[in-house]
Amino acid sequence: MAGPLLRSIWSSARRSISSSSSSSSSSSSGRRPFFNPYFSSRVAPLLSRPPGATRAFAAAPASAASATSSSPNSALDPSRLRNVAVIAHVDHGKTTLMDRLLRQCGADIPHERAMDSISLERERGITISSKVTSIAWKENELNMVDTPGHADFGGEVERVVGMVEGAILVVDAGEGPLAQTKFVLAKALKYGIRPILLLNKVDRPAVSEERCNEVESLVFDLFANLGATEEQLDFPVLYASAKEGWASSTYTKDPPTEAKNMSELLDAVIRHVPPPNASIDAPFQMLVSMMEKDFYLGRILTGRVFSGVVRVGDRVHGLRCTDSGAEKIEEGKIIKLMKKKGTSMILIDAAGAGDIISMAGMASPSIGHTIANVEVATALPTVELDPPTISMTFGVNDSPLAGRDGTHLTGGKIGDRLMAEAETNLAINVLPAVGESYEVQGRGELQLGILIENMRREGFELSVSPPRVMYKTESGQKLEPIEEVTIEVNDEHVGLVMEALSHRRAEVVDMGPVPGNFGRTRLSLTCPSRGLVGYRSVFSSDTRGTGFMHRAFLTYAKFRGPLGNVRKGVLVSMGFGTITAHALVGLEPRGILFIGPGVDTYDGMIVGEHTRDTDLDVNPVRAKELSNMRSANKDENVRLSPPRLMTLEEAIGYVASDELIEVTPKAIRLRKRYLDVNKRKTMSKRPKE
């Protein structure tokens, strides 16, 4: 119970020493506030409409376009702006909170999760890319940024925290701070941001005031462990239910009807987040943080205005940092200025320092480059991202069934698509590999799986290698990426989970009951990234879908040795043709099948998992011999167990080092790297790396 006492003593002492320092010192930080998140809304259909037609606010003040024409001084005043990022662990309620804030300020929300504009985000219920929008509140304009919570998309968070002065740290009042909470908070504290703590989901039956005090103490300890300053340690705390649409400065489960809104949170943002420290009188400079390509406008560059004022028709040029100084890329004229308002993109005439805008008219600059007036010769410094931890090889699909489904088949088209992705997503690196293949480096299999899924929906066919961990060597010692894992399971599944993770070189850090949930256990572990590849589907099966697992990159540490036996062998086809039910009846006792009858197969294709640790060559296209003799058995009564159909992420985690994934718009197939059985036997005798 020392935690809540220490927290209360610290807060009261801070308030008694200086009651007015909260607003002044948080603005005097040396961070670089000019990075923009990624948003992927199509703006061309909106540009042909007048600003009034696309304005999404029914009850908000006038749009930026009309405000600029009527009172330019007030519209370009940085003191009216607040740049705020919403950061949290996955599934703690960030996107739902953004919906409620938009509705509070009069925006017309067409559906739930309005900020998730990508089709994959709506299908999977996750946030993949950061998005920015602006809302009006009490004569102020708030640029709100919604960020992903998954560790694989941590690069999106890193780009966001450098362009804002404040952050709302959302923490589930029942779960408390988890692995990704620590990651996003560390990034915010690094830039000198003083976050606002929002304890969400306090309306749940298991959440009590004692639990909220305990979570608040855990967050305070997390701040202290991450090296927070005295000003950052004195963070404001609010309680909310984003699902019900209310926030409160005091603990409650059912606020009065007139207080069931987000007013207190918005007021706290205005009160605790300082306005941008930028100069309108200085020459115009903007760092490009997001780039989008439009068929009509070309490149749409988005970023935060670092200084000065920009207007439609201004002459600007693009600069980039080199070893010898700033290098000029292109000179051009701004033909469009745009800004996100609610869920709509509107046209504006001008924008001032501290604001987040989009512009069109330049053809060469990309993310990390500076757009400035022609008299400016210095480029702004770019953001530093954490290095990638895994890599996969993308190559041409050379299977016997290639070319049946897709339209983009050649290595050149695959390379162009990957280079375009690396240009808009700084967390992905693309390097040429052997032949017509490319090495793609990223943060995790989910991030690369999203890229592969997007490519197959665009008509690409490709072969993908299993993920490989990127090692480091320091002082002659081999280092590997270690991740922090938080697991919550029922008590009866603890032994099964710990046994599986022991084969994957995991080490238990902490273990104890889940507060407020009888019969549940929470495990904190450290595990190599290579051991967690493919474990999520195994974990779901072991816990019957009742467990939760969250992971985040921790550090590079000493190599922990080879993994144990984490997978069985596979059933490999040695026939070409259509799979028959007659052949599968004989194969069912051999293992778990991945395909059903009527599917085309070829030599070297994986059709199932063997019951033993070795691979087995089988013939799934064998047909029943026909004769003129009657049979007492009825062939139509053949019954097969449903096959185990793998998703793309499951396939990425399943394949071994000598296997590949064949990805087409209509199918995902597993295959051996070498299709010929004799070639496989020869290669298996070679020593492994």
Side-chain angles (χ1 to χ4, degrees):
M1 297 301 293
L5 180 60
L6 177 62
R7 170 80 175 98
S8 60
I9 293 174
W10 181 271
S11 300
S12 60
R14 285 290 302 149
R15 283 191 292 268
S16 63
I17 292 173
S18 68
S19 59
S20 61
S21 62
S22 60
S23 61
S24 60
S25 62
S26 58
S27 62
S28 58
S29 60
R31 60 184 181 276
R32 296 165 293 176
F34 39 77
F35 303 110
N36 186 37
Y38 178 86
F39 69 92
S40 58
S41 59
R42 304 298 295 173
V43 301
L46 301 174
L47 298 181
S48 59
R49 311 179 194 173
T54 60
R55 189 164 63 90
F57 293 93
S63 65
S66 61
T68 302
S69 59
S70 60
S71 55
N73 292 332
S74 61
L76 302 178
D77 185 8
S79 64
R80 296 177 56 252
L81 298 173
R82 299 292 189 275
N83 298 319
V84 185
V86 182
I87 57 177
H89 190 83
V90 60
D91 290 334
H92 278 197
K94 298 177 301 300
T95 306
T96 304
L97 177 66
M98 288 295 298
D99 285 350
R100 301 301 178 262
L101 292 176
L102 288 172
R103 283 181 177 167
Q104 178 74 34
C105 296
D108 184 17
I109 305 296
H111 52 77
E112 294 294 323
R113 304 181 64 88
M115 295 295 290
D116 288 346
S117 56
I118 305 175
S119 58
L120 276 176
E121 292 180 326
R122 297 178 184 173
E123 292 175 13
R124 305 194 181 195
I126 61 175
T127 302
I128 296 174
S129 61
S130 296
K131 302 169 191 67
V132 63
T133 188
S134 64
I135 57 179
W137 181 253
K138 295 183 178 180
E139 304 301 326
N140 293 284
E141 189 169 358
L142 279 62
N143 290 321
M144 306 293 298
V145 184
D146 184 23
T147 63
H150 284 270
D152 287 16
F153 309 114
E156 298 289 329
V157 181
E158 292 169 342
R159 286 198 292 172
V160 166
V161 294
M163 57 173 285
V164 297
E165 286 80 30
I168 301 174
L169 177 64
V170 184
V171 177
D172 190 317
E175 294 184 355
L178 297 177
Q180 190 68 2
T181 309
K182 180 179 179 181
F183 172 81
V184 297
L185 178 60
K187 295 299 178 182
L189 296 178
K190 174 185 175 183
Y191 283 89
I193 295 174
R194 181 192 179 204
I196 298 173
L197 175 61
L198 182 71
L199 297 181
N200 193 24
K201 305 181 183 180
V202 297
D203 58 324
R204 288 187 171 181
V207 177
S208 61
E209 187 172 4
E210 291 76 14
R211 175 57 183 167
C212 289
N213 292 333
E214 183 180 348
V215 171
E216 186 180 339
S217 299
L218 292 174
V219 174
F220 179 80
D221 295 340
L222 185 58
F223 271 68
N225 293 334
L226 293 176
T229 63
E230 293 184 359
E231 182 65 30
Q232 291 171 330
L233 284 170
D234 191 20
F235 51 85
V237 182
L238 287 91
Y239 308 87
S241 171
K243 183 178 179 181
E244 299 294 332
W246 57 265
S248 173
S249 58
T250 58
Y251 173 81
T252 179
K253 279 183 172 291
D254 188 19
T257 305
E258 63 275 8
K260 284 191 174 182
N261 52 53
M262 288 291 175
S263 299
E264 293 204 28
L265 176 59
L266 292 168
D267 291 339
V269 170
I270 301 297
R271 188 166 57 253
H272 294 287
V273 176
N277 185 15
S279 173
I280 291 184
D281 300 328
F284 166 69
Q285 280 183 302
M286 185 188 86
L287 186 79
V288 179
S289 301
M290 194 281 290
M291 184 192 73
E292 189 178 3
K293 294 183 180 179
D294 185 80
F295 181 76
Y296 298 98
L297 299 174
R299 295 195 177 197
I300 299 175
L301 307 175
T302 302
R304 170 177 163 158
V305 181
F306 182 66
S307 61
V309 178
V310 60
R311 293 179 174 85
V312 176
D314 285 356
R315 299 291 300 182
V316 295
H317 63 179
L319 302 171
R320 63 182 169 194
C321 293
T322 60
D323 296 336
S324 58
E327 177 186 354
K328 183 176 179 179
I329 306 173
E330 178 196 6
E331 183 175 338
K333 184 177 72 171
I334 297 176
I335 61 174
K336 296 285 185 183
L337 282 179
M338 297 156 283
K339 185 174 176 61
K340 193 73 174 290
K341 288 279 191 178
T343 57
S344 303
M345 186 73 74
I346 69 167
L347 297 176
I348 58 176
D349 298 328
D355 208 354
I356 300 173
I357 59 167
S358 301
M359 65 173 60
M362 308 287 284
S364 299
S366 59
I367 295 176
H369 296 163
T370 301
I371 307 296
N373 285 343
V374 290
E375 65 268 15
V376 176
T378 58
L380 299 172
T382 58
V383 62
E384 295 291 336
L385 299 182
D386 290 344
T389 56
I390 70 166
S391 67
M392 298 172 66
T393 302
F394 290 44
V396 176
N397 181 20
D398 58 355
S399 80
L401 301 180
R404 294 189 178 186
D405 302 337
T407 55
H408 306 301
L409 312 174
T410 62
K413 287 192 173 183
I414 294 174
D416 292 342
R417 174 64 177 84
L418 293 175
M419 293 298 179
E421 181 69 23
E423 197 174 22
T424 58
N425 188 351
L426 297 184
I428 288 181
N429 297 334
V430 178
L431 304 174
V434 179
E436 292 186 321
S437 61
Y438 300 85
E439 181 183 355
V440 182
Q441 302 172 348
R443 299 285 182 90
E445 62 264 31
L446 177 60
Q447 181 192 27
L448 298 181
I450 293 293
L451 172 59
I452 298 170
E453 181 65 29
N454 285 327
M455 292 182 66
R456 69 182 289 236
R457 294 188 180 194
E458 296 168 10
F460 282 87
E461 283 195 18
L462 60 156
S463 62
V464 183
S465 74
R468 297 182 302 276
V469 172
M470 301 179 64
Y471 299 101
K472 286 184 178 180
T473 302
E474 293 182 1
S475 304
Q477 191 176 48
K478 185 177 182 181
L479 305 179
E480 65 174 344
I482 304 295
E483 298 193 22
E484 183 179 2
V485 187
T486 303
I487 291 177
E488 183 179 316
V489 294
N490 292 334
D491 292 345
E492 62 266 23
H493 299 141
V494 173
L496 196 61
V497 170
M498 294 188 67
E499 181 184 3
L501 286 172
S502 65
H503 293 296
R504 299 171 182 266
R505 297 291 179 178
E507 297 178 358
V508 178
V509 177
D510 189 20
M511 178 178 176
V514 179
N517 288 276
F518 182 74
R520 300 276 286 182
T521 300
R522 177 174 295 172
L523 302 171
S524 296
L525 312 98
T526 59
C527 184
S529 296
R530 57 192 170 94
L532 294 173
V533 172
Y535 178 65
R536 188 171 294 276
S537 60
V538 178
F539 175 78
S540 298
S541 300
D542 289 346
T543 61
R544 302 296 188 267
T546 61
F548 299 97
M549 182 178 72
H550 305 297
R551 44 187 285 199
F553 173 76
L554 182 62
T555 182
Y556 270 86
K558 182 180 178 182
F559 184 74
R560 293 188 178 181
L563 301 180
N565 188 11
V566 297
R567 200 198 78 170
K568 301 287 186 180
V570 291
L571 305 177
V572 185
S573 171
M574 59 179 186
F576 183 87
T578 303
I579 295 175
T580 63
H582 174 72
L584 294 183
V585 169
L587 295 180
E588 271 197 329
R590 298 285 189 175
I592 302 173
L593 298 177
F594 295 159
I595 39 79
V599 179
D600 292 335
T601 186
Y602 53 85
D603 295 339
M605 177 175 162
I606 297 174
V607 297
E609 182 180 276
H610 196 196
T611 55
R612 301 184 180 182
D613 295 336
T614 57
D615 295 343
L616 179 65
D617 294 323
V618 297
N619 182 13
V621 300
R622 179 171 56 88
K624 185 176 182 180
E625 297 294 337
L626 300 179
S627 67
N628 59 355
M629 300 296 294
R630 290 179 177 268
S631 173
N633 298 326
K634 295 182 179 180
D635 295 338
E636 60 269 17
N637 285 343
V638 170
R639 293 186 178 182
L640 296 170
S641 300
R644 175 187 172 187
L645 301 178
M646 283 195 177
T647 63
L648 180 59
E649 278 76 23
E650 290 174 346
I652 291 174
Y654 184 83
V655 290
S657 58
D658 63 336
E659 299 165 359
L660 297 174
I661 308 170
E662 179 187 353
V663 180
T664 72
K666 296 182 180 179
I668 297 174
R669 306 183 185 97
L670 307 183
R671 49 162 285 190
K672 287 292 184 179
R673 186 182 298 271
Y674 303 102
L675 300 180
D676 183 68
V677 60
N678 296 320
K679 178 73 171 177
R680 290 201 299 272
K681 291 180 179 178
T682 302
M683 298 303 295
S684 64
K685 296 177 182 178
R686 292 189 176 185
K688 296 183 179 180
E689 297 181 358

